[in-house]
Amino acid sequence: VCNLLSMKTRLSFMYDTRRDSPQTKINDMMQAVPALIDEMYHNERLSHFKFQVTTSRLEFLQHISTTIAFTINILMLLYFDRTGSEGAPELAEVPKIAISYLGYCQLLMSTLLFSFWIVTKAELHLKKTWRDFTKTYSAELPESFVKRMHEIELSRIPVNELTMVELRDILYSRGPYCDIFYSSDGKRSLGSWPLRFEYWLITIQMLTENLTFRYYV
């Protein structure tokens, strides 16, 4: 099963887990479990695609993109002419054409990198961010709401019978992946369009705050 984890994740888990004492080791391992399970399920689902979109291929594209950028900079450094017409800096014709074609290649690589990142990493990032968000929100909830949550979960009350306030508190405290929002056929329903709109706003904000997403865009 661990073969479904990327090498980067395995190394990160191995080096980031503290080993000061048995208690800290267990705590760090337990905190890492949800993200590890998410990645294993996600990669297992990706493995069924006809075209394999994997983390290793994403890293390969990153290496190609870096090489192209490095080549463009080297060409500009070697062939940059500061004595052009009217003293304006210019490039010789052949390097200029080469840099233009490399620029088109870099644009293609950037598009592929963005597409690969969306497929391989975006969902994992959103799940982790939603977990952190719900953890912070749940710490501020009153005990009465916690009891109400248990009642809703045990009785399996349909979302259309819950109030807007209850639905929002469930979304904020349990996240969009909570079983309450899923019907028996596996479809998710947040109950009302205002809450769906609110969910998408939060999700888009979480995505755009990711530094890798900003870099590729």
Side-chain angles (χ1 to χ4, degrees):
V1 176
C2 291
N3 289 330
L4 294 171
L5 294 173
S6 66
M7 182 58 66
K8 183 178 180 181
T9 299
R10 284 184 251 178
L11 291 175
S12 176
F13 176 71
M14 184 171 64
Y15 291 126
D16 292 346
T17 301
R18 296 173 298 171
R19 294 172 174 81
D20 302 334
S21 66
Q23 186 62 40
T24 57
K25 182 178 179 180
I26 292 174
N27 287 340
D28 285 359
M29 291 177 67
M30 293 301 296
Q31 290 176 6
V33 164
L36 296 177
I37 292 176
D38 284 344
E39 182 171 340
M40 285 188 285
Y41 275 116
H42 184 66
N43 289 337
E44 195 274 336
R45 183 165 56 85
L46 292 180
S47 67
H48 296 293
F49 286 10
K50 291 184 178 179
F51 178 76
Q52 296 295 307
V53 182
T54 61
T55 303
S56 60
R57 290 188 176 180
L58 174 63
E59 293 172 353
F60 177 70
L61 290 176
Q62 288 174 336
H63 294 324
I64 294 178
S65 178
T66 302
T67 302
I68 293 174
F70 180 76
T71 304
I72 291 174
N73 282 280
I74 290 296
L75 288 174
M76 293 186 67
L77 181 65
L78 293 177
Y79 296 101
F80 200 69
D81 186 3
R82 296 182 180 276
T83 59
S85 60
E86 301 179 358
E90 290 184 355
L91 276 171
E93 190 64 24
V94 173
K96 184 186 295 186
I97 295 173
I99 289 174
S100 296
Y101 281 109
L102 287 172
Y104 292 130
C105 292
Q106 186 70 307
L107 179 62
L108 175 61
M109 285 297 105
S110 298
T111 304
L112 289 174
L113 279 170
F114 180 74
S115 303
F116 270 57
W117 186 85
I118 289 293
V119 174
T120 60
K121 300 294 184 181
E123 183 178 345
L124 297 176
H125 166 72
L126 289 175
K127 284 185 176 182
K128 180 181 182 304
T129 310
W130 267 107
R131 269 197 305 272
D132 296 339
F133 179 87
T134 56
K135 186 177 181 180
T136 303
Y137 187 84
S138 298
E140 302 173 359
L141 289 174
E143 185 65 29
S144 58
F145 176 77
V146 177
K147 292 180 179 179
R148 174 61 176 162
M149 277 290 299
H150 288 310
E151 177 186 339
I152 293 172
E153 289 178 332
L154 290 174
S155 56
R156 299 293 298 175
I157 300 176
V159 292
N160 56 5
E161 296 181 13
L162 299 174
T163 65
M164 183 68 182
V165 175
E166 288 177 327
L167 288 171
R168 180 183 288 109
D169 283 338
I170 293 171
L171 176 65
Y172 282 25
S173 63
R174 297 297 179 90
Y177 308 102
C178 178
D179 291 340
I180 294 174
F181 294 126
Y182 285 86
S183 59
S184 57
D185 58 0
K187 294 182 179 180
R188 182 169 63 191
S189 172
L190 298 180
S192 62
W193 71 263
L195 191 63
R196 287 196 295 271
F197 181 72
E198 195 171 343
Y199 157 74
W200 280 111
L201 281 180
I202 297 172
T203 300
I204 291 172
Q205 181 182 358
M206 290 176 175
L207 195 61
T208 54
E209 286 176 351
N210 181 270
L211 296 179
T212 305
F213 177 87
R214 292 183 180 181
Y215 172 76
Y216 287 145
V217 171

